[in-house]
Amino acid sequence: MISATSEFTSSDLAFMEFALEQAKSAMSNLEVPVGCVFVEDGEVISSGSNRTNETRNATRHAEMEAIDLLLERWQKAGLSLPEVTEKFSKCVLYVTCEPCIMCAAALSILGIKEVFYGCANDKFGGCGSILSLHEGESEQPSGCPRGRFRCRGGLMASEAVGLLRSFYEHGNPNAPKPHRPDPSLSKARATVPRGDAVIAKRPGKKDLQGGIPTPSVPPEEAFVPTSQLDLDTG
Amino acid sequence: MAWEIVRVPDKPPGCFQGTTVGVVASNVEPKLANTLVRKLCLAAPLENLRHVKRVRRRTLEAGRNELSIILCPTFAGENELEGIPDDVQKVINDYQLNPFIAKVPKYSASSKEEWEDQCKLWPTSYHPMANVEGFAEFTPDDSHWIISCMKTALNLATLSQLGKQVKNAAVIVDPSSRHIIASVVDQTSELSGTNKVTEAASYAKDPETISFSEAGENELKCYQALFHPYTSDEASRSYFEVSCLYPWRWLEQKSHTEITTVDNGNKYSWHPLRHAAIVAIENAAARDRQLFPNPSNSSCSGLQDSAINSPAKRQKNVESLVQEEIKSCLLEVMRPYLCTGFDIYLVWEPCAMCAMALVHQRIRRIFYAFPNLNAGALGSIHKLQGEKSLNHHYSVYRVFPSTEVVP
Ligand SMILES: [Zn+2]
Ligand SMILES: [Zn+2]
């Protein structure tokens, strides 16, 4: 089996290293450790990491943070709309975890050129895992669908998974607690003897529906799957 | 003609009748049940079988009880015991269990009758509200409120139309207090025209403002103007600014190329991702931070700990522990977690980006008026509400404006 890493160039590795740094800084802010960088013409032009806890906005994923920085900067610099679309079409994204369905759709809308990701996002992934939004617009009579981008995973996946794993194993101090039991939900829980609802509510653990993974990675996988991690913020 | 509220199904109709799936189960001593349930829920959560109860209790002849417990899903195939995860295998060894393959209902029941049938096989949970196909069962009062909320969204879209282009509108409400949490329109193109609309309709309004007494003909005419079906080029052009309908269109825009420097306090004068739902979520989060500035640090009692530490509680069955936990949660007056318990009203079915954003933010129910045949992710192109792997599932409803609006 070919090591997944060998298909990548040294600059790919360097950019992903940078994205991992972003993920680590998220972790030090008690955020789920996912990070990314945008690269244009071989240069890092933007970076981002998860800010979902701080903002209480679960859509503030690393990709969204980095995209907003770019749009703000380009508009301040007076770039016209076609100039901005032109720039996005030259951008390559390096992100530690496969973009979720939301972010993959956003990247497609922006018309980005290419995405490299670390670990797969088996529960929320929008670049092949759950949906394939990198394939762009569905069925265009005119031919070429808009919003298609190249996408490759497995770049430094074990590093990305390692961060996530250590984050979840140490618990997430900002973990959501169910403050407002939804009446329909509490009804559902009242009928338990399935106790997973019970365990999911334990303070200090974020949505442990997947439980804490005992790392049992099938060796045949090219890169570490994250099916056991709840990559809500991927 | 009255308005109608119809559930948008999350799976193809009629596919669950009698469909079963294999799981690995074992009979257990009743006194072990609590311990085993706890261990197994960690080691092998039943992610795709949320409706299936973990334990089955059957009364055999002579009044004997038989307790069976689901150990884990099948991994190697429907009828194979192979592939049991190590953690589960350890439980099997430790407690000397005899695993066998049991059949459980694959999908949640869609009717009371089906549920009763299912329970003969294996107990499941049944939530009438969550499974109604076709007409949703809302009380007249609820229906009235839901329609009022949708009218609020339609009115926002109508207002934005005065600025020549139609936009999508999003209204997040708290159905328990009947307050508006956020109400916005698309902010993908220049903000100038829309600011007034959003300001006028922002933040927690008085609940009364959502009743539409003076509806009548004018209102209907407005909606009608909004929703000309895609007939001519002329008509469909006015929908181009509905972000979720044409998410990629901004790539081709050649107009308003001269962007004036941003000095109106907004970071962007345009932004291809600021679809109405995304902006509404942002406003709801801002409201949350404003109303509850401190991160919360206490919460429901740690059920796990108390169950382990107190021998008295250890005797209780899981049900009563859960009941207790729910009670203690209800006693705490806490800020909401994200948008848990909130509903959103959208004029058009959201695109994949917006639909997934609403999963992330834990919206409880989505109501939309018009389908999005170009890029809709809640029935038209994708069906996110039926995506089992996601960690949160909302229910989706279409609110059909009365036939005068949509011929
Ligand atoms: Zn994402
Ligand atoms: Zn959208």
Side-chain angles (χ1 to χ4, degrees), chain B residues 80-270:
Chain B
E80 300 292 332
L81 284 172
E82 306 299 310
I84 294 177
D86 292 349
D87 285 4
V88 177
Q89 193 58 53
K90 186 171 181 304
V91 173
I92 293 172
N93 298 343
D94 289 354
Y95 295 90
Q96 296 176 352
L97 305 177
N98 291 313
F100 60 87
I101 296 289
K103 295 285 182 185
V104 300
K106 188 168 183 181
Y107 301 106
S108 53
S110 58
S111 69
K112 190 152 178 292
E113 292 69 33
E114 193 186 357
W115 174 59
E116 283 164 354
D117 268 358
Q118 287 190 346
C119 289
K120 288 175 196 155
L121 186 69
W122 194 281
T124 58
S125 43
Y126 173 53
H127 311 293
M129 278 299 294
N131 289 293
V132 176
E133 301 274 346
F135 286 87
E137 288 168 10
F138 295 106
T139 65
D141 184 49
D142 282 346
S143 303
H144 182 78
W145 154 255
I146 287 166
I147 290 162
S148 300
C149 290
M150 184 53 83
K151 285 182 179 174
T152 306
L154 290 166
N155 283 350
L156 270 177
T158 314
L159 275 176
S160 78
Q161 193 198 19
L162 300 179
K164 69 202 172 281
Q165 290 286 343
V166 186
K167 288 170 193 270
N168 203 357
V171 180
I172 296 179
V173 302
D174 177 352
S176 63
S177 68
R178 299 205 163 175
H179 273 88
I180 293 186
I181 305 297
S183 66
V184 301
V185 296
D186 286 331
Q187 293 184 359
T188 41
S189 52
E190 44 331 5
L191 291 172
S192 44
T194 64
N195 266 351
K196 280 181 203 97
V197 177
T198 44
E199 266 166 36
S202 68
Y203 276 107
K205 260 194 192 171
D206 192 42
E208 263 70 31
T209 53
I210 297 194
S211 60
F212 283 78
S213 37
E214 76 287 28
E217 235 157 80
N218 273 345
E219 193 187 43
L220 289 179
K221 221 172 263 167
C222 274
Y223 299 157
Q224 203 151 24
L226 251 187
F227 311 114
H228 259 302
Y230 313 82
T231 44
S232 60
D233 271 2
E234 192 61 41
S236 63
R237 200 167 302 138
S238 63
Y239 294 102
F240 279 166
E241 297 269 322
V242 177
S243 312
C244 286
L245 286 183
Y246 297 97
W248 291 279
R249 210 191 76 85
W250 81 283
L251 292 171
E252 285 149 22
Q253 249 166 335
K254 299 277 179 277
S255 61
H256 61 82
T257 48
E258 291 307 312
I259 305 296
T260 47
T261 36
V262 189
D263 55 359
N264 53 359
N266 290 307
K267 281 183 184 170
Y268 324 94
S269 46
W270 50 272

Side-chain angles (χ1 to χ4, degrees), chain A residues 52 54-61 64 67-69 71-72 75-76 78-82 84-85 88 100-102 105-106 108-111 122-124 130-131 133 136-138 146-147 174 176-199 201-203 206-212 214 216 228 230-234, chain B residues 37-38 41-42 45-47 49-50 52-55 87 125 127-128 174 176 247-253 256-257 259 262 267-273 275 281-282 285 288-289 292-300 302-304 318-319 322-323 325-326 329-330 332 334-338 340-342 352-353 356-357 360-362 364 374 381-382 384 387 389-391:
Chain A
T52 54
E54 180 198 336
T55 57
R56 298 185 209 171
N57 180 340
T59 71
R60 297 313 301 169
H61 289 185
M64 295 301 202
I67 289 165
D68 279 0
L69 277 180
L71 278 165
E72 187 182 351
Q75 290 188 24
K76 283 218 171 96
L79 263 62
S80 69
L81 201 140
V84 169
T85 60
F88 272 123
C100 73
I101 290 169
M102 172 187 74
S108 167
I109 291 170
L110 295 177
D122 289 352
K123 285 182 169 180
F124 306 98
I130 305 298
L131 296 183
L133 297 164
E137 211 170 4
S138 60
R146 288 173 296 185
N174 282 353
K177 291 111 197 169
H179 304 300
R180 170 208 299 271
D182 172 339
S184 65
L185 279 179
S186 44
K187 205 168 124 215
R189 298 225 166 89
T191 58
V192 180
R194 303 174 48 200
D196 42 355
V198 180
I199 280 137
K201 293 301 142 199
R202 189 172 40 164
K206 176 166 176 159
D207 266 355
L208 270 181
Q209 291 166 1
I212 296 195
T214 14
S216 61
Q228 295 299 311
D230 193 8
L231 284 178
D232 197 3
T233 38
Chain B
V37 164
R38 243 187 337 258
C41 288
L42 261 187
L46 300 175
E47 310 229 337
L49 296 170
R50 291 164 198 277
V52 176
K53 297 190 179 182
R54 193 107 205 181
V55 178
D87 285 4
S125 43
H127 311 293
D174 177 352
S176 63
W248 291 279
R249 210 191 76 85
W250 81 283
L251 292 171
E252 285 149 22
Q253 249 166 335
H256 61 82
T257 48
I259 305 296
V262 189
K267 281 183 184 170
Y268 324 94
S269 46
W270 50 272
H271 191 309
L273 304 181
H275 296 196
I281 288 171
E282 187 179 281
D288 183 8
R289 294 193 306 268
F292 307 94
N294 300 317
S296 72
N297 43 23
S298 73
S299 81
C300 308
L303 174 59
Q304 182 75 358
V318 179
E319 278 107 318
V322 171
Q323 291 289 6
E325 196 206 25
I326 289 165
C329 285
L330 288 169
E332 306 251 17
M334 286 291 183
R335 66 175 167 89
Y337 167 54
L338 303 176
T340 308
F342 293 169
M353 176 181 71
M356 190 61 198
H360 285 315
Q361 200 70 5
R362 306 290 202 275
R364 181 177 164 221
N374 280 341
I381 304 289
H382 304 291
L384 274 199
E387 217 45 82
S389 76
L390 303 181
N391 62 340

